[in-house]
Amino acid sequence: MSTASSRSRPNRRISSLQNSERASISRTTSRSRSKVAPSHNDVYTFALRIAYLHHLLQPRAKRKQWIAAPKPVKKQSTVMIGDLIQDFSLKNTKNGKFPHGFMSPLEKRLQGVLIGTERLPGYNDATVKRVFAEAYTAFTEQGFRRRMDKERRVEDLVLIFYSNATKALQKGKAPDDDSWKLLVDRHVALFVRIISNTLKDHGKGDDRPELMARLSTLEKKLLTNDQDLTASTADGPGGTTIEVIAPLSTDVKDMRMVQTVASMFGLRNSQVQSDIDANKNTWTEEAAINDLKAYQHCLDSNTKRTLRSDDFDIEEGYQAWKKAEIPDLSYMMAEILQARPELVKTSAGANKPLPAIHSNVSTAEDQAYSELAKSISSPVDSNSFYSFDQPVDMSALSLDEDDKAGREFLEQSTYTFIPPDPRAYYRAIIQYAMTFDQLHPVESPVATPLLSPKSMELMAELCVRWRIPQFTRLILILDVAAQKFLDQEIGLDELDTVFNWVKQPPVETKKVHSHSYSIGLPAIEQRFWTVQDYALYRQILSSLHDGLLRDLYDNLQQCYDQKPPNPGPILMVLEEHIHNDPSFSQGSEMDDFKNQLVAGLATKAAAVYRDYLEKEVPKNQEEWEFYHVIQLGTAVVKLCDRIKKRYRKNPEIMGVNPLSILVETMFPSFENDAGDLVRRIVHVAQTKQTEVGVDDGFTLYKELVKIRGIHHGHLPHLPFQIPVEDLLAEFVWRWIHTTDERIVGLVDEAIKQDQFQVRSERPDGHATDSERHSVSVIDAFRLLNQTADTIIDLNWSDEVQYAKFMTALSKSFGNGLARYCEVIDQRFAKEMDRLSPAQVAAAAQTKQERWMRLARDAWNNKEKIEPFQFYPESFVKLNNIEFAVQMLDKLESKMQVDRCAKVLEKFAPQGRQKRPSKYMFTIKIVEAEDLKACDPNGTSDPYVVLGDEYQKRLAKTRVIMRNLNPRWDESVDITVQGPLNIIATVWDWDTFGDHDYVGRTNLKLDPTHFSDYLPREYWLNLDTQGRLLLRVSMEGERDDIQFYFGKAFRLLKRTERDMTRLITDKLSQYINVSLSHEALKHLMSRGGISVASVTSLWKNRQSVAPAVTQLEVEEALKPLFAYFDENFAIMKQTLTDASMVMVMTRLWKEVLLAIESLLVPPLSDKPSNQRPLSQQEMDIAFKWLELLFEFFNARDEETGEAMGVPADVLKSPKYHELASLNFFYFDTTDNLIRTSERMASATIARAKAQAQAQVAQNNRLSAPPTLGASFNGLMGATSVRRAKSIMLSRNLGTMRKAKEEKRKEAQADPSDDMILRILRMRPEAGPYLRDRSRQKDRLAAAAAAEMIVRQSLAAGGPRFGANNLPRR
């Protein structure tokens, strides 16, 4: 059909959707469908007709029949069963009865016949099974069974079987039909044979030979007029075998589809049998042919008895349907004619129900049916009645459209097998079938739309016979299923199954007349549907959509329950089968549904929260606790987590987010209630003068933070109503204060429980570095980390408060580490200062005995100095400090110290900053010179005790043995709130008796004098002889996290350095002896170096400088190397690698100092009596330096790897200073003075430029990194190079950076100290040294004046003095 013609027709589909009254164009109306729904009886009758027709058209069974040859004897039609049984009974004896218990195996054998498992031939015929079924019923009757078990007579069984066989075969036969009589004898013979085989199978045949013979004789007599029962196909002698068609059974038991109809409508087989018997003369194959002929005429005449073009939206759809009908009708007629070939003649001749409108109709029809006859006479497959490949031309069977009388006759006539309204009847049968199959479910391997395979077979047959299109069939099935779903008779799974089946029905197992009955609904274009089907389909989708939305609403109303139903199946059906269908169109009902769903969920969420509130919070306010708020918050969070997890894949359902609605509804109420509860609880506690538990506060904070996170995620436009941090910060401060009070005690307890042993569990006792520190430091830092984690795990949102918490914790941590360092340092010093066994023995001697021992040792020249017996516990303590430094660095990184400091600095209040209330002075006791000799040998063993004006000891240095110019380089921190006088007393250590007084001096520490925070050096004259050099720097105590960490780091490093120095002091005595002038002189006199020879050098100062070989230079250091090896072996057993390198590095410094003292005197403004070395002596000193460098570096010869101290550490600034002596040592005095002046002038210029650059930097607590002149010692200015600031020691990174900057500064700013020390050995340089001393005084006065001027200029800004110091 052309496009133009299609467009010219009105769109009846749209009209049908807009006008609900348009029923005149439906197919039902076309077929004059009654307005009243078909009755139950009418539906049953037409279904039964089709089922019976299906039985009539079934292929006839064929069997082989034996035709015996004619015999001369008189032919008897049937055997007289009475005579046979009489003969059988006359010969009855005891052996003629069957054995006891024979009935049970016989019944099982009969059951095998009924179910088709009998192995003997001849028992699979349907008639045989029906006869045996009648007999089996009689045999299983209780009375007969008891009688047979008692009498056990075979003839009784045979007679009962004969009686039932006669009754079964005679049923349905005409009175004059005797054909069944011959079958009776055959069936009785079959029964006798099965008795014989049962006896043989159970081993009873040999025991009863007489019975077996009689049974064989009886079987032969019964087969007089029939073939032998063996499965032989060959012709026997005297007869032949022919193939005959078995007669068609008229028993309902043989009609499978009829039984399906009977079951579906709840009728007994006897009732259905009566209906069939009453109508079998009407429900014939000929009537079916007439129906098809009438349908063909109506189709060609465009009558209302078939679909018309008006039933379709477009003419193309009608033509496509009509074109498909013609071959289907041909197939159906051919099927009937093949089953009843004789109908070809009768149909082509008389008894035609249709009127002869034209004279040539009969001739045309005769021709059409003759073509069918030809097809039937020569089929392709004789066993199939669907053997027609091409449709027969049925055009001759049509009527003339102009013949109105014929059309009216066709429209008024009725069909035999097609109901008046096939569509309504078909829908009714679908409904009956679904209901029946729901009540009687049958398992099927193929998913069916709520129909069993038998029901599906009946539906397919009805669809074919009633000429219902495939799309109508599928839509009607879906319509019934939808109605059952809306009536809650089936569930979502069944509805989904129906939809899937409709979209893709399975392939028909039975060959139907058209392949279209296996096509799914989507494969059929909707424009080819009827208007009624399209409207019904849209109505189905709309009804299902409304019903599913109602179910979804009810489902989601339970989403906040503990175990809610799953909305997934509903959403799946909606999405896959409703929304994705192009026939479905959404309207405004979706917006209404969303609004109703949101309102319903909000109401449900409010109800759930009220339940939580009533359950978790007591009604009595006096009983309220944080626990109740926590439980309420926990319940809310758990519900949110459950909803989030439940809908994590699809957060929104039909545009509605259950979690967002829950948060929007529940959270504002919770926030208001929780805030009021917390305030009320705190108020009640304050009234009762009690405290709420800190742990409860922390737990509550965590819950509120979770709720706040959910709030911000779903309600970003609304502020969180609870000021969590403001309400609960008090609990954190209480916890921090409690921790601060307990931390020192916990550290003491950890030290108390520690044995300071290596924690090795290996059998060989070897411990790794990670096992060489003891449990006290582990416990201490576990405490610190757990304390920090408690605050970190809170995830405190207020950055300022969090930074303040960390600052307070860092202060507490510093106190704990200070306590640890103090106790460990005291124990370590006590262990290192203990007397040796020889000293303990000497202490018990009298004074005279001690003098005699000293004289004896001097006379014997005792040469070996034994290594100091270090305790392993002492080395473990050093390992602990080294481990503490590493752990503190990790703790600093965890606490994000720099970030906290930046936050506090960012949010610090603007304006004048508060002055510090405390100041920390760092006093470094550097050295002393020209001390008083207190020992008989002309030396002293000096140490310094530092105290305050209140006679409180502040610090005590180590003892430097036999030295009048000692160098300690030890620091101490002193915290003051105002000016404080300190007193430094120098003592001489004696092994026996009281220590001798050497001298005393004092210094006033006044914060106003250090308002510029620059370090200073003070040479303080002792009240007896000599002077003491102190280096003093000041920093303001800051409530700053970086300050506290820097203070803790510096304390740990200082403790580590002091402990290392105590270890190296035990070895430095032998180093100084081995690298002394006396050792050098002895080597020059070609004598080996030893303790005895070194002692003799004090007696004989004369030496000759002969040539010394390289070997002799190396041999001179062998005793020192051996001494190092012995001590290093002891240390290596306990010290970690890092601690070992640290000790060796410190020893290397002692070596450098010894070599330095060998080359030049100390720095001073006075000429020295020390003699310069000769070139040979200097070469020996540098050779010693080279050998010692290689010893401490310990490079592996094969790999080249440094096994000792790294080379870059050994090559320190002091090492480079010593190396530079080669350039100046033998230079003239004038050149040295000019070089010194040039270097001093350049240094002063750089210092002034740096000072001017820092003038604008006010409010600082420590010196800037590069501020101060670089003059050291006597020749330097008042201000010196900055000390180590606490802020530069806050972690290992800043410490390494400061150390590297110091190294670079030393390289970029060379000092003339070495030149001045060389000039001290030149008497002619005395005036120059004095000039430098006066220059130092002038610089000091200028620096003091500059400070006064700066303070005056700053009077308008931050004021200095009166303890009003600026703070950075």
Side-chain angles (χ1 to χ4, degrees):
M1 182 177 180
S2 64
T3 306
S5 61
S6 298
R7 291 179 178 176
S8 63
R9 299 183 57 187
N11 194 324
R12 288 185 295 275
R13 175 173 300 172
I14 298 177
S15 301
S16 66
L17 295 176
Q18 294 176 348
N19 186 4
S20 59
E21 299 297 330
R22 178 172 169 78
S24 60
I25 64 172
S26 65
R27 177 182 176 183
T28 304
T29 306
S30 297
R31 294 188 176 186
S32 302
R33 177 176 62 88
S34 174
K35 301 294 183 180
V36 182
S39 65
H40 177 275
N41 186 63
D42 291 343
V43 174
Y44 156 71
T45 300
F46 277 97
L48 181 61
R49 295 178 186 186
I50 298 301
Y52 180 67
L53 178 62
H54 176 268
H55 174 70
L56 294 178
L57 298 181
Q58 291 297 306
R60 302 295 192 271
K62 296 181 180 181
R63 63 184 179 88
K64 292 182 179 181
Q65 182 175 351
W66 170 258
I67 304 297
K71 293 184 180 180
V73 297
K74 185 180 178 180
K75 196 162 97 172
Q76 185 176 353
S77 61
T78 59
V79 178
M80 299 300 294
I81 189 66
D83 297 339
L84 295 177
I85 296 301
Q86 185 177 4
D87 295 340
F88 197 88
S89 301
L90 290 175
K91 300 178 181 179
N92 187 19
T93 61
K94 182 177 182 181
N95 291 331
K97 295 184 177 181
F98 54 79
H100 290 285
F102 177 72
M103 288 301 296
S104 295
L106 180 62
E107 288 180 3
K108 292 182 180 179
R109 198 68 177 265
L110 294 178
Q111 291 176 3
V113 173
L114 298 180
I115 63 178
T117 60
E118 175 58 46
R119 64 183 183 276
L120 293 178
Y123 292 91
N124 289 327
D125 183 71
T127 305
V128 173
K129 292 182 180 180
R130 180 160 55 85
V131 171
F132 270 71
E134 291 281 353
Y136 179 80
T137 303
F139 290 160
T140 55
E141 196 271 328
Q142 295 296 329
F144 178 78
R145 177 65 181 271
R146 286 194 299 269
R147 183 166 62 85
M148 291 306 302
D149 290 340
K150 179 179 179 181
E151 297 181 358
R152 297 183 288 118
R153 294 194 306 172
V154 178
E155 55 269 26
D156 293 343
L157 286 176
V158 175
L159 287 175
I160 292 298
F161 184 88
Y162 177 82
S163 175
N164 284 277
T166 302
K167 181 171 57 177
L169 293 174
Q170 191 177 8
K171 186 181 299 183
K173 300 296 182 179
D176 56 347
D177 187 1
D178 296 334
S179 62
W180 57 273
K181 295 182 179 179
L182 291 176
L183 293 177
V184 174
D185 297 344
R186 172 179 172 81
H187 288 174
V188 174
L190 289 173
F191 177 68
V192 172
R193 175 169 291 186
I194 208 168
I195 293 176
S196 301
N197 279 273
T198 303
L199 289 172
K200 292 179 182 178
D201 292 344
H202 288 79
K204 303 298 183 180
D206 297 336
D207 297 340
R208 289 171 171 76
E210 184 178 354
L211 177 61
M212 297 298 296
R214 291 178 183 178
L215 290 173
S216 177
T217 302
L218 179 60
E219 179 183 345
K220 291 178 180 179
K221 289 182 179 182
L222 289 170
L223 293 176
T224 301
N225 296 321
D226 203 348
Q227 64 176 349
D228 192 6
L229 299 182
T230 57
S232 174
T233 58
D235 293 341
T240 183
T241 300
I242 65 174
E243 189 178 65
V244 297
I245 298 176
L248 182 66
S249 173
T250 58
D251 195 342
V252 172
K253 293 182 179 180
D254 297 328
M255 304 177 188
R256 181 165 50 86
M257 188 172 292
V258 171
Q259 292 179 10
T260 301
V261 174
S263 301
M264 185 181 303
F265 288 89
L267 301 177
R268 295 190 302 272
N269 288 349
S270 60
Q271 295 176 298
V272 178
Q273 185 71 58
S274 300
D275 294 336
I276 293 176
D277 293 342
N279 297 281
K280 64 181 180 180
N281 293 329
T282 304
W283 299 347
T284 62
E285 297 92 331
E286 186 176 2
I289 283 287
N290 292 333
D291 281 358
L292 293 178
K293 291 167 61 180
Y295 184 87
Q296 174 69 25
H297 281 290
C298 292
L299 179 65
D300 294 338
S301 302
N302 196 21
T303 65
K304 297 181 180 180
R305 299 296 300 277
T306 64
L307 292 176
R308 296 186 303 173
S309 61
D310 291 342
D311 294 326
F312 291 87
D313 187 35
I314 59 176
E315 181 67 23
E316 185 180 358
Y318 170 70
Q319 294 298 332
W321 169 80
K322 183 177 180 181
K323 183 179 180 181
E325 284 289 279
I326 296 175
D328 288 350
L329 293 174
S330 300
Y331 281 121
M332 294 171 65
M333 289 184 180
E335 176 187 5
I336 298 173
L337 295 178
Q338 186 175 12
R340 293 285 303 277
E342 63 271 16
L343 293 179
V344 174
K345 296 181 180 180
T346 58
S347 298
N351 299 327
K352 293 194 289 287
L354 301 179
I357 301 177
H358 296 287
S359 59
N360 60 347
V361 170
S362 299
T363 306
E365 290 182 356
D366 292 343
Q367 183 180 358
Y369 286 110
S370 64
E371 292 179 0
L372 289 174
K374 292 179 181 179
S375 301
I376 297 171
S377 62
S378 58
V380 178
D381 184 359
S382 60
N383 294 326
S384 172
F385 30 92
Y386 305 116
S387 56
F388 303 95
D389 294 333
Q390 298 294 332
V392 181
D393 185 10
M394 304 293 292
S395 59
L397 299 180
S398 61
L399 298 177
D400 189 356
E401 294 183 1
D402 296 333
D403 195 337
K404 295 183 180 180
R407 183 178 298 106
E408 291 178 356
F409 174 81
L410 291 174
E411 291 180 354
Q412 295 174 359
S413 63
T414 59
Y415 297 116
T416 302
F417 292 97
I418 302 177
D421 186 358
R423 182 190 183 92
Y425 277 73
Y426 192 76
R427 187 187 185 283
I429 293 179
I430 294 174
Q431 192 165 5
Y432 288 133
M434 284 190 181
T435 303
F436 176 80
D437 290 337
Q438 279 183 270
L439 299 176
H440 306 85
V442 177
E443 294 185 1
S444 175
V446 180
T448 58
L450 308 178
L451 296 174
S452 65
K454 292 182 179 180
S455 299
M456 290 300 300
E457 183 182 11
L458 174 62
M459 294 298 105
E461 189 69 20
L462 294 174
C463 189
V464 171
R465 300 299 173 186
W466 292 352
R467 306 313 304 149
I468 295 178
Q470 174 69 354
F471 50 82
T472 303
R473 171 197 180 195
L474 298 177
I475 291 174
L476 290 176
I477 291 176
L478 183 61
D479 182 29
V480 175
Q483 184 63 44
K484 285 185 172 292
F485 173 77
L486 295 176
D487 295 340
Q488 298 184 354
E489 296 181 16
I490 63 174
L492 277 172
D493 293 339
E494 291 82 358
L495 181 63
D496 178 61
T497 302
V498 173
F499 265 111
N500 291 329
W501 188 91
V502 167
K503 292 179 179 180
Q504 190 174 1
V507 179
E508 296 286 352
T509 56
K510 174 187 174 182
K511 183 177 181 182
V512 295
H513 306 285
S514 174
H515 68 280
S516 62
Y517 288 99
S518 297
I519 298 177
L521 201 58
I524 306 174
E525 296 185 42
Q526 293 185 356
R527 61 196 185 97
F528 290 165
W529 296 4
T530 64
V531 175
Q532 184 179 9
D533 288 328
Y534 181 77
L536 177 60
Y537 184 68
R538 292 197 59 177
Q539 181 181 358
I540 293 171
L541 296 181
S542 178
S543 301
L544 285 177
H545 184 257
D546 295 341
L548 290 171
L549 287 184
R550 287 193 297 270
D551 292 348
L552 181 62
Y553 179 88
D554 296 337
N555 183 292
L556 291 179
Q557 288 300 301
Q558 308 174 53
C559 70
Y560 300 139
D561 296 345
Q562 188 68 27
K563 293 183 178 180
N566 183 14
I570 301 177
L571 294 173
M572 186 272 294
V573 174
L574 277 172
E575 185 67 22
E576 291 189 4
H577 303 309
I578 306 296
H579 294 164
N580 290 341
D581 197 298
S583 300
F584 177 76
S585 59
Q586 295 185 7
S588 60
E589 66 273 4
M590 285 304 302
D591 296 333
D592 298 337
F593 172 76
K594 291 179 183 179
N595 296 333
Q596 294 176 6
L597 182 59
V598 169
L601 290 178
T603 304
K604 183 66 175 179
V608 171
Y609 176 72
R610 287 194 298 271
D611 294 340
Y612 286 164
L613 192 63
E614 294 178 359
K615 178 181 178 182
E616 303 297 344
V617 180
K619 295 183 179 180
N620 186 3
Q621 297 184 7
E622 299 297 328
E623 299 177 2
W624 288 354
E625 296 179 0
F626 274 13
Y627 170 78
H628 301 123
V629 185
I630 294 170
Q631 290 299 107
L632 180 61
T634 302
V636 172
V637 171
K638 284 184 177 179
L639 177 60
C640 293
D641 291 342
R642 190 165 67 244
I643 298 301
K644 183 178 180 181
K645 182 179 180 181
R646 184 176 299 154
Y647 302 108
R648 62 184 181 276
K649 293 184 179 179
N650 297 303
E652 290 191 357
I653 299 175
M654 306 296 288
V656 178
N657 190 324
L659 180 58
S660 297
I661 297 175
L662 176 68
V663 174
E664 293 173 0
T665 305
M666 186 177 292
F667 275 41
S669 300
F670 170 78
E671 292 165 17
N672 293 329
D673 294 341
D676 294 340
L677 286 170
V678 172
R679 296 184 186 93
R680 177 62 181 173
I681 293 170
V682 173
H683 176 71
V684 171
Q686 292 175 352
T687 304
K688 295 182 179 180
Q689 295 183 352
T690 59
E691 290 184 345
V692 182
V694 173
D695 292 339
D696 291 341
F698 285 1
T699 306
L700 176 61
Y701 178 80
K702 293 178 181 179
E703 290 298 328
L704 293 180
V705 166
K706 291 180 182 177
I707 295 174
R708 182 169 60 188
I710 300 174
H711 175 101
H712 290 160
H714 294 271
L715 304 174
H717 57 285
L718 295 178
F720 193 66
Q721 299 298 324
I722 305 177
V724 183
E725 284 71 23
D726 295 339
L727 282 177
L728 303 178
E730 174 192 354
F731 294 90
V732 183
W733 285 118
R734 281 170 47 196
W735 181 81
I736 292 175
H737 294 156
T738 303
T739 302
D740 184 63
E741 294 173 357
R742 297 177 53 198
I743 194 165
V744 174
L746 294 174
V747 170
D748 288 338
E749 186 64 26
I751 296 174
K752 182 180 179 181
Q753 300 296 329
D754 195 0
Q755 300 297 324
F756 295 98
Q757 300 291 333
V758 174
R759 299 173 296 105
S760 176
E761 298 180 357
R762 300 185 182 183
D764 56 358
H766 179 72
T768 61
D769 281 0
S770 61
E771 299 172 336
R772 296 195 176 195
H773 46 268
S774 60
V775 296
S776 62
V777 70
I778 297 176
D779 293 341
F781 273 93
R782 183 183 294 117
L783 169 65
L784 301 185
N785 279 281
Q786 290 176 352
T787 304
D789 290 339
T790 302
I791 302 298
I792 294 173
D793 292 343
L794 290 177
N795 294 320
W796 202 265
S797 298
D798 192 316
E799 291 185 345
V800 177
Q801 289 183 350
Y802 177 80
K804 291 180 178 180
F805 295 157
M806 289 294 141
T807 302
L809 280 184
S810 64
K811 183 178 180 180
S812 300
F813 293 168
N815 294 336
L817 291 176
R819 179 60 179 173
Y820 188 83
C821 291
E822 178 185 359
V823 177
I824 295 298
D825 189 48
Q826 290 176 357
R827 292 191 178 190
F828 185 84
K830 185 177 179 180
E831 293 167 356
M832 300 302 294
D833 293 342
R834 74 184 188 278
L835 299 178
S836 65
Q839 291 174 333
V840 173
Q845 297 175 347
T846 62
K847 187 175 182 179
Q848 183 178 2
E849 290 174 344
R850 289 197 293 270
W851 281 110
M852 290 298 293
R853 183 181 58 80
L854 290 174
R856 186 169 56 254
D857 291 344
W859 179 262
N860 293 332
N861 293 326
K862 188 174 183 181
E863 63 177 41
K864 184 171 179 61
I865 299 179
E866 296 292 337
F868 182 77
Q869 296 300 319
F870 295 102
Y871 287 162
E873 293 84 351
S874 302
F875 291 147
V876 171
K877 292 181 177 67
L878 180 59
N879 293 339
N880 286 355
I881 300 299
E882 184 265 333
F883 177 76
V885 174
Q886 304 297 327
M887 294 304 295
L888 185 61
D889 187 64
K890 294 180 180 178
L891 183 61
E892 189 263 354
S893 177
K894 175 192 288 187
M895 295 176 64
Q896 298 181 339
V897 170
D898 293 341
R899 179 173 175 269
C900 292
K902 291 180 180 179
V903 169
L904 291 177
E905 182 179 359
K906 177 181 179 181
F907 292 96
Q910 301 296 327
R912 173 179 285 186
Q913 297 179 343
K914 183 180 178 181
R915 65 179 177 82
S917 59
K918 294 182 180 180
Y919 303 92
M920 187 176 68
F921 283 92
T922 300
I923 302 174
K924 184 173 186 179
I925 305 172
V926 183
E927 61 180 340
E929 67 176 28
D930 198 19
L931 296 179
K932 181 179 68 173
C934 299
D935 292 338
N937 56 7
T939 62
S940 294
D941 303 323
Y943 68 93
V944 179
V945 175
L946 208 60
D948 60 11
E949 58 191 34
Y950 305 106
Q951 297 183 356
K952 177 184 178 181
R953 175 183 286 191
L954 301 176
K956 174 180 174 295
T957 67
R958 70 190 188 282
V959 179
I960 304 297
M961 306 301 293
R962 293 184 292 277
N963 200 324
L964 297 179
N965 299 290
R967 187 177 184 89
W968 291 280
D969 285 329
E970 295 188 23
S971 301
V972 61
D973 291 335
I974 301 174
T975 301
V976 300
Q977 293 181 339
L980 178 69
N981 289 320
I982 60 170
I983 300 171
T985 305
V986 184
W987 296 88
D988 171 58
W989 183 85
D990 287 334
T991 305
F992 312 109
D994 296 333
H995 298 182
D996 299 327
Y997 175 80
V998 177
R1000 179 181 286 114
T1001 186
N1002 61 68
L1003 176 66
K1004 183 179 181 180
L1005 300 179
D1006 191 347
T1008 59
H1009 297 163
F1010 290 84
S1011 58
D1012 56 356
Y1013 298 99
L1014 296 178
R1016 291 171 173 79
E1017 287 185 350
Y1018 296 95
W1019 277 102
L1020 303 177
N1021 295 322
L1022 300 178
D1023 57 358
T1024 55
Q1025 175 185 333
R1027 54 184 181 175
L1028 180 66
L1029 176 60
L1030 298 181
R1031 183 174 298 159
V1032 183
S1033 62
M1034 186 192 77
E1035 295 188 77
E1037 280 278 0
R1038 300 174 56 181
D1039 188 20
D1040 184 275
I1041 187 171
Q1042 291 179 331
F1043 178 84
Y1044 291 131
F1045 264 93
K1047 187 176 179 180
F1049 265 110
R1050 189 166 72 171
L1051 179 60
L1052 285 172
K1053 295 299 291 184
R1054 182 177 295 168
T1055 304
E1056 183 182 59
R1057 183 173 64 251
D1058 292 344
M1059 294 171 68
T1060 304
R1061 185 172 291 159
L1062 287 175
I1063 295 174
T1064 57
D1065 284 349
K1066 300 299 179 182
L1067 309 178
S1068 60
Q1069 180 182 356
Y1070 195 55
I1071 294 175
N1072 293 330
V1073 171
S1074 301
L1075 302 177
S1076 63
H1077 286 87
E1078 290 76 10
L1080 182 60
K1081 290 177 181 179
H1082 188 71
L1083 178 60
M1084 295 297 294
S1085 63
R1086 300 184 181 182
I1089 184 168
S1090 64
V1091 176
S1093 60
V1094 170
T1095 304
S1096 65
L1097 290 176
W1098 292 97
K1099 302 177 181 178
N1100 185 9
R1101 299 297 181 95
Q1102 302 298 325
S1103 62
V1104 182
V1108 180
T1109 63
Q1110 183 74 16
L1111 181 60
E1112 290 174 340
V1113 174
E1114 295 177 0
E1115 290 292 334
L1117 291 183
K1118 278 191 175 181
L1120 180 61
F1121 291 155
Y1123 183 73
F1124 281 155
D1125 288 337
E1126 291 177 2
N1127 285 278
F1128 289 169
I1130 298 173
M1131 298 177 189
K1132 194 65 177 176
Q1133 295 176 359
T1134 308
L1135 288 178
T1136 62
D1137 291 343
S1139 298
M1140 189 68 193
V1141 170
M1142 184 168 53
V1143 171
M1144 294 177 67
T1145 303
R1146 181 61 198 177
L1147 281 176
W1148 173 247
K1149 292 181 180 179
E1150 295 293 336
V1151 169
L1152 294 179
L1153 291 175
I1155 297 293
E1156 183 184 46
S1157 63
L1158 188 64
L1159 295 173
V1160 292
L1163 188 62
S1164 177
D1165 60 346
K1166 301 177 182 178
S1168 174
N1169 295 327
Q1170 183 174 336
R1171 177 184 60 83
L1173 299 182
S1174 64
Q1175 183 65 54
Q1176 185 179 9
E1177 290 174 333
M1178 191 171 183
D1179 292 340
I1180 293 174
F1182 278 99
K1183 182 60 179 178
W1184 283 352
L1185 181 61
E1186 180 183 354
L1187 293 173
L1188 287 166
F1189 182 92
E1190 295 176 355
F1191 176 82
F1192 278 87
N1193 187 240
R1195 184 178 297 275
D1196 190 291
E1197 295 181 357
E1198 296 181 358
T1199 62
E1201 181 182 0
M1203 307 302 293
V1205 183
D1208 57 341
V1209 177
L1210 295 176
K1211 294 180 179 180
S1212 61
K1214 180 63 69 176
Y1215 177 84
H1216 289 291
E1217 285 183 0
L1218 293 178
S1220 66
L1221 283 176
N1222 281 321
F1223 300 100
F1224 306 110
Y1225 201 81
F1226 298 106
D1227 202 355
T1228 62
T1229 302
D1230 294 337
N1231 289 339
L1232 291 177
I1233 291 175
R1234 285 193 295 270
T1235 303
S1236 175
E1237 290 177 344
R1238 185 173 61 253
M1239 295 175 68
S1241 300
T1243 302
I1244 293 174
R1246 281 194 300 270
K1248 288 183 178 180
Q1250 293 171 358
Q1252 292 175 359
Q1254 298 295 331
V1255 169
Q1257 292 188 2
N1258 296 326
N1259 301 332
R1260 58 178 178 267
L1261 288 179
S1262 61
T1266 58
L1267 185 60
S1270 59
F1271 296 128
N1272 290 328
L1274 176 69
M1275 299 301 149
T1278 302
S1279 297
V1280 296
R1281 185 180 292 113
R1282 64 170 176 83
K1284 294 180 180 178
S1285 169
I1286 288 180
M1287 300 302 291
L1288 296 177
S1289 304
R1290 61 182 182 272
N1291 55 45
L1292 291 180
T1294 57
M1295 295 171 70
R1296 284 191 291 266
K1297 184 177 180 181
K1299 191 173 183 179
E1300 184 63 25
E1301 289 180 355
K1302 181 179 178 181
R1303 182 188 295 269
K1304 293 180 179 179
E1305 182 182 345
Q1307 295 175 356
D1309 190 12
S1311 173
D1312 64 341
D1313 288 353
M1314 281 298 177
I1315 297 177
L1316 296 175
R1317 296 171 75 170
I1318 295 174
L1319 291 176
R1320 285 194 64 195
M1321 297 184 293
R1322 310 281 179 90
E1324 64 275 14
Y1328 175 73
L1329 296 176
R1330 288 191 293 272
D1331 290 341
R1332 287 294 297 270
S1333 178
R1334 289 192 293 270
Q1335 183 184 19
K1336 173 240 178 177
D1337 295 337
R1338 290 195 301 271
L1339 290 174
E1346 182 182 0
M1347 186 182 69
I1348 295 174
V1349 172
R1350 242 185 297 155
Q1351 290 178 351
S1352 300
L1353 293 176
R1359 296 182 58 194
F1360 301 108
N1363 289 336
N1364 189 17
L1365 301 180
R1367 171 175 178 167
R1368 178 164 49 178

